Amino acid sequence: MKNIINCLVENEPGVLARIVGLISGRGYNIETLNVGPTLDRQVSKMTIVVLGDEKIIEQVIHQVSKQVNVIEVVNMTKKRHLNREMILVRVASKDHAARIEIVDLANLFDASVIAVQEDSVTLQMVGDQEHIADFLRLFTPYHIIDISRSGVIAVGREDVNGNG
Amino acid sequence: MKKEIKNKKFSDGEIAERSGAQCVVDGLVKAGCDVLFGYPGGAVLDIFNCLYDAPFHFVLPRHEQGAVHMADGYARATGKVGCCLVTSGPGATNTITGLATAYMDGIPLVCISGQVPLSMIGNDAFQEADVVGITRPVTKHNFLVRNVDDLPDIIAQAFYIASTGKPGPVVIDIPKDIQRQTTTCIEPDTVEMRAYKPHVDFNPAEIEQLAALINGSHAPVLYVGGGAIAGDAAGEITELARKADIPVVTTLMGLGAFPEDDPLALKMLGMHGSAAANYAVDRCDLLISAGARFDDRVTGKISEFAKRAAIVHIDIDRSSVGKSVRCDLGVVGYIKPVLQALLPLVKQTKHSEWVEQTTRWKERHPFSYPDKGEVIMPQYVVEQICAVSNGKATVVTDVGQHQMWAAQHYTYTRPRSFISSGGLGTMGFGLPAAIGAKFGCPDDPVVCVTGDGGVQMNFQELVVPVEHKLPLVIAIFNNGYLGMVRQWQEIFYSTRYSGVALGQEGRLRMQRIEEASGYLPDFIKLADAHGAVARRIFNKSEVTPALQEAFESGKTCVLEFIVDPEANVFPMIPPGHDVSSMMLRSV
Ligand SMILES: Cc1ncc(C[n+]2csc(CCOP(=O)(O)OP(=O)(O)O)c2C)c(N)n1
């Protein structure tokens, strides 16, 4: 199962390495990872998506919580929350007709066109995990030249993970 | 990005500017360091310069691994934080095994390493290594000091982190230029950290549940690990066991947390534990684990472990609770206050039938070994060490068969009297750790029980106790083999001995050599060259007098016991099996 874990950590060099090393050193794969500042300059928020059954995730959370620079760890998957990921996709478009088709499909997903070249269209799409999976599935028949994903970020609907 | 340290204290002008190097020494003094194990080098010259005037004892080991094991032995024997100091690059990389050993057993250490100047980090400078990177997985925490003003705080924090919560080793990596810069910041009086909050309030409702479980149990067992010793809870364990009449089994790390001369003591459990301890865990209806972490060497086959029992975990480390074994009730907190809260709720009672049963197992299956006349049985040597020292010695072991015999055949009655690398199983630990223990507890007799294999891994440290005129008995159990591995090859690999024979050219399998010339290395000459008193013992009747003489000599004595080469450690539960597969003796 996919789990979205939010960690508030002290903004210090080495913290990211410690947490990533801890998870990967145990053989668990990090699917996406996002780190950003919070309203408090000394605190960063990490969002880690890991695959694993409940027992594994529970261990990961305990181990991460134990780290000296970690303030709070929350398994967002267990809470009411909203999650989003942004993807940028460059799709090949050999002619005008192909371009129209791609843009039409993109519109259905509320994706926007952020660049157009002679032979490609670059799209930006924001959505939750399900949305993004659908989007990518429908675009597989086209030739995707490049794709970049931001990693998931999540916010609780109730009062979890404060500190901005 | 420069981080502000909130509670940083600047001196009010009364204290002159100090160098970073002086802050290190002052920080150690303030933290209560009384012995520092250190090895010099280019990146720590400034600190060594300040050590010249330091008020604490300085000890020079002969290898940085020895430094860390000595600090570790010191910490295990005293309960205080062990301190060591090494130079950058190779000095720091030589500490890794020592740090990992301490990390696995939760031993509080502060290890300070020099680093190349800040501006040169990342340039592959001479003797540069990414020490925070390399030590990260084997430390509780580590610091790279980037600003000399942070140094007094970081040192205080390192001691705080090392010694609180589940203890562990902490590394402080200090670039050379930071050691030379000056600061007016001074040591903080208290440490307050934003994210690290080791204090845990246990949940009183859980204590009540636990008391109810104990009061309702007919066949309870207390399963005690190293956490009970680290948490200074041996007294409470003993009180609980006696009040509620609960038989006690201990892990290797928990030996001494409960007096083994008590009728309720069933001694060690697990792979090489006593039959009584393993039967009791198998049959009990309530298993209360206190500061033990359900290591696979203890549990064997997880699904069969204590399968009839409700299992309670008491641990300071939340991540240990329910990690590998089913947990019916978890209590997260420091063991001592947890047990103190529990004790008044527990009824004074007798479990006569159950205790009689465990006593019968004990009587029927004591740790035993064959008698081979004048051939020295290693188990006999351990028994005699116990007898000659009146059970008052601190026993520090290396890793292998001798370690298990030391655990089985000595009667441990006080915490911190058995010191061993349990989690990592580090050969080469014994001798330096024994030296560190002796520095920590100079008034206690200390004996190192080691193998002919493991002792060679840090033999160079023998000069240290000789130099410092420390009375120390080093008992080398020479069986001519890497015995524990040989035993596994005998039992699980059809006696195909591969890479386990030690220095025995021309010797037949399992043959004891009766004259001195057959030994490689010649431990007597080797010990002699290091300045220690040394004696080789061939016959059983010489064992006791040799030990008496060594304990009374007041010197560093090496006793080489030529023991039965084919002795095996029993009982033995093969890895991944349960108690029904326990081998009680050689088949
Ligand atoms: C550093 C290290 N290398 C290898 C091992 C694997 N190992 C465990 S016990 C053992 C044999 C130890 O032999 P010896 O020191 O002679 O003691 P004995 O078992 O004969 O009592 C070995 C090689 C280890 N525990 N540590």
Side-chain angles (χ1 to χ4, degrees):
Chain A
M1 204 184 86
K2 226 182 228 183
N3 285 264
I4 305 173
I5 297 167
N6 269 4
C7 314
L8 287 178
V9 301
E10 287 183 294
N11 181 9
E12 280 191 38
V15 179
L16 177 64
R18 210 167 236 284
I19 293 176
V20 170
L22 182 86
I23 298 175
S24 57
R26 280 157 203 270
Y28 309 141
N29 209 1
I30 295 178
E31 190 166 271
T32 68
L33 171 68
N34 178 290
V35 191
T38 62
L39 292 180
D40 181 338
R41 276 176 50 232
Q42 296 189 9
V43 176
S44 303
K45 185 182 272 184
M46 298 175 62
T47 306
I48 310 168
V49 175
V50 228
L51 290 178
D53 63 28
E54 199 169 327
K55 231 179 131 65
I56 289 176
I57 299 300
E58 203 182 311
Q59 254 308 298
V60 166
I61 289 177
H62 285 328
Q63 294 289 347
V64 173
S65 316
K66 211 159 83 166
Q67 301 306 306
V68 165
N69 294 123
V70 174
I71 299 166
E72 193 187 15
V73 186
V74 178
N75 187 351
M76 301 304 284
T77 322
K78 294 227 156 150
K79 309 243 181 284
R80 271 158 50 80
H81 75 280
L82 297 165
N83 72 71
R84 290 291 181 272
E85 182 173 6
M86 179 196 272
I87 60 172
L88 302 178
V89 197
R90 195 146 74 88
V91 191
S93 55
K94 56 182 186 320
D95 51 26
H96 185 68
R99 195 177 300 152
I100 301 280
E101 217 181 303
I102 289 166
V103 172
D104 273 355
L105 190 53
N107 281 338
L108 294 177
F109 281 94
D110 257 347
S112 45
V113 176
I114 55 171
V116 183
Q117 271 87 28
E118 291 74 12
D119 55 354
S120 70
V121 182
T122 305
L123 305 170
Q124 163 190 312
M125 194 273 198
V126 175
D128 62 19
Q129 294 297 284
E130 226 172 300
H131 237 78
I132 288 180
D134 288 345
F135 179 84
L136 290 176
R137 189 161 39 79
L138 286 170
F139 269 94
T140 4
Y142 300 86
H143 176 204
I144 295 179
I145 302 168
D146 196 8
I147 179 166
S148 280
R149 305 179 62 153
S150 67
V152 180
I153 51 172
V155 64
R157 280 172 174 276
E158 281 106 35
D159 190 18
V160 285
N161 257 193
N163 285 66
Chain B
M1 175 204 53
K2 194 166 166 299
K3 205 197 137 229
E4 285 166 36
I5 290 195
K6 271 225 199 79
N7 36 1
K8 185 148 63 189
K9 261 176 80 177
F10 288 91
S11 92
D12 42 19
E14 279 180 19
I15 294 182
E17 293 211 347
R18 292 178 302 165
S19 67
Q22 190 59 46
C23 291
V24 170
V25 173
D26 294 348
L28 289 173
V29 172
K30 172 116 185 182
C33 163
D34 53 11
V35 191
L36 175 68
F37 303 93
Y39 207 93
V44 283
L45 278 170
D46 289 278
I47 300 176
F48 271 78
N49 186 41
C50 295
L51 282 178
Y52 193 86
D53 302 311
F56 47 77
H57 211 60
F58 176 80
V59 177
L60 180 76
R62 295 305 192 267
H63 188 300
E64 288 88 353
Q65 184 185 351
V68 186
H69 288 329
M70 283 181 202
D72 181 324
Y74 168 93
R76 292 183 204 235
T78 61
K80 293 193 276 189
V81 178
C83 304
C84 51
L85 169 65
V86 299
T87 192
S88 68
T93 55
N94 270 347
T95 65
I96 304 302
T97 301
L99 292 171
T101 304
Y103 183 62
M104 284 291 272
D105 288 340
I107 305 303
L109 295 187
V110 169
C111 177
I112 295 169
S113 53
Q115 180 56 280
V116 302
L118 213 45
S119 57
M120 288 166 79
I121 290 182
N123 288 354
D124 296 334
F126 176 64
Q127 293 196 329
E128 179 185 355
D130 172 9
V131 171
V132 285
I134 300 174
T135 60
R136 194 171 287 128
V138 294
T139 51
K140 182 170 173 186
H141 196 60
N142 57 17
F143 296 92
L144 171 62
V145 184
R146 289 183 172 76
N147 182 340
V148 68
D149 290 339
D150 297 343
L151 195 48
D153 270 304
I154 286 179
I155 292 171
Q157 289 178 359
F159 277 90
Y160 179 64
I161 293 168
S163 58
T164 50
K166 177 172 181 181
V170 178
V171 164
I172 313 175
D173 199 29
I174 313 179
K176 189 176 165 94
D177 46 352
I178 301 279
Q179 297 168 29
R180 299 177 70 94
Q181 288 162 12
T182 57
T183 178
T184 51
C185 287
I186 57 172
E187 286 73 34
D189 292 321
T190 53
V191 177
E192 182 79 38
M193 294 178 72
R194 175 162 188 175
Y196 179 67
K197 302 279 177 217
H199 184 79
V200 224
D201 284 317
F202 56 81
N203 178 351
E206 289 168 356
I207 306 286
E208 278 167 33
Q209 272 173 277
L210 175 52
L213 281 173
I214 294 174
N215 293 336
S217 161
H218 300 291
V221 166
L222 254 169
Y223 155 45
V224 181
I229 292 174
D232 189 25
E236 287 75 11
I237 295 277
T238 307
E239 211 178 315
L240 174 63
R242 289 181 182 157
K243 184 171 182 189
D245 203 28
I246 310 177
V248 182
V249 303
T250 55
T251 66
L252 185 74
M253 299 305 295
L255 289 175
F258 183 74
E260 293 189 330
D261 51 5
D262 190 290
L264 289 169
L266 304 182
K267 305 195 80 165
M268 184 169 74
L269 84 165
M271 178 180 282
H272 292 302
S274 74
N278 287 323
Y279 287 145
V281 169
D282 184 52
R283 303 296 152 77
C284 68
D285 65 5
L286 174 66
L287 185 74
I288 309 151
S289 135
R293 58 191 182 86
F294 298 85
D295 187 271
D296 51 277
R297 285 286 184 270
V298 161
T299 59
K301 189 174 181 182
I302 296 274
S303 58
E304 294 295 305
F305 181 74
K307 59 178 178 293
R308 300 166 174 85
I311 301 182
V312 180
H313 299 211
I314 309 173
D315 208 297
I316 182 64
D317 181 3
R318 190 177 295 274
S319 66
S320 278
V321 173
K323 181 166 65 182
S324 48
V325 165
R326 156 179 71 86
C327 169
D328 299 296
L329 174 65
V331 182
V332 177
Y334 283 98
I335 297 180
K336 197 181 177 84
V338 164
L339 294 184
Q340 282 169 344
L342 175 69
L343 273 162
L345 308 182
V346 170
K347 279 200 261 166
Q348 176 107 33
T349 169
K350 285 273 166 224
H351 297 108
S352 309
E353 220 172 294
W354 171 236
V355 173
E356 272 162 31
Q357 171 68 72
T358 60
T359 308
R360 272 197 302 278
W361 285 324
K362 245 187 353 184
E363 286 163 0
R364 196 169 322 144
H365 308 289
F367 289 120
S368 61
Y369 56 93
D371 182 357
K372 298 193 181 173
E374 268 302 290
V375 173
I376 302 174
M377 297 309 287
Q379 301 91 332
Y380 175 77
V381 180
V382 174
E383 284 171 1
Q384 291 311 301
I385 290 173
C386 189
V388 168
S389 70
N390 270 326
K392 297 224 158 42
T394 298
V395 178
V396 185
T397 79
D398 210 78
V399 170
Q401 292 182 308
H402 63 275
Q403 176 189 32
M404 293 301 128
W405 289 318
Q408 294 176 337
H409 293 271
Y410 193 98
T411 305
Y412 296 96
T413 53
R414 64 178 173 90
R416 306 192 180 283
S417 58
F418 176 80
I419 292 176
S420 197
S421 164
L424 199 66
T426 307
M427 282 173 73
F429 171 82
L431 177 57
I435 296 166
K438 187 68 194 179
F439 274 110
C441 302
D443 298 331
D444 292 343
V446 175
V447 53
C448 172
V449 171
T450 181
D452 48 336
V455 77
Q456 291 186 62
M457 286 205 182
N458 273 315
F459 204 86
Q460 76 282 350
E461 304 305 345
L462 184 60
V463 291
V464 175
V466 173
E467 242 172 18
H468 290 266
K469 302 197 167 35
L470 294 184
L472 186 64
V473 179
I474 297 139
I476 302 176
F477 285 40
N478 189 347
N479 51 12
Y481 285 106
L482 296 171
M484 186 56 99
V485 181
R486 183 204 56 75
Q487 173 170 348
W488 282 51
Q489 291 179 345
E490 180 187 334
I491 297 175
F492 303 119
Y493 293 87
S494 335
T495 317
R496 286 160 56 90
Y497 292 158
S498 177
V500 292
L502 293 169
Q504 43 182 331
E505 225 183 314
R507 166 181 171 177
L508 299 175
R509 175 181 289 170
M510 299 297 199
Q511 182 195 30
R512 240 169 50 119
I513 303 174
E514 301 293 345
E515 73 283 353
S517 61
Y519 288 95
L520 259 184
D522 184 331
F523 285 116
I524 304 306
K525 282 189 189 151
L526 204 50
D528 190 46
H530 286 71
V533 178
R535 181 165 167 197
R536 180 175 287 130
I537 296 114
F538 285 105
N539 299 311
K540 184 176 175 181
S541 51
E542 300 169 77
V543 170
T544 311
L547 281 167
Q548 273 161 346
E549 199 181 316
F551 274 109
E552 280 160 18
S553 72
K555 299 218 166 76
T556 304
C557 290
V558 172
L559 299 179
E560 182 192 16
F561 295 99
I562 306 300
V563 298
D564 179 17
E566 60 187 312
N568 282 337
V569 184
F570 288 109
M572 179 176 194
I573 302 177
H577 284 69
D578 64 68
V579 65
S580 64
S581 315
M582 180 160 55
M583 297 180 260
L584 287 166
R585 59 190 67 80
S586 271
V587 280

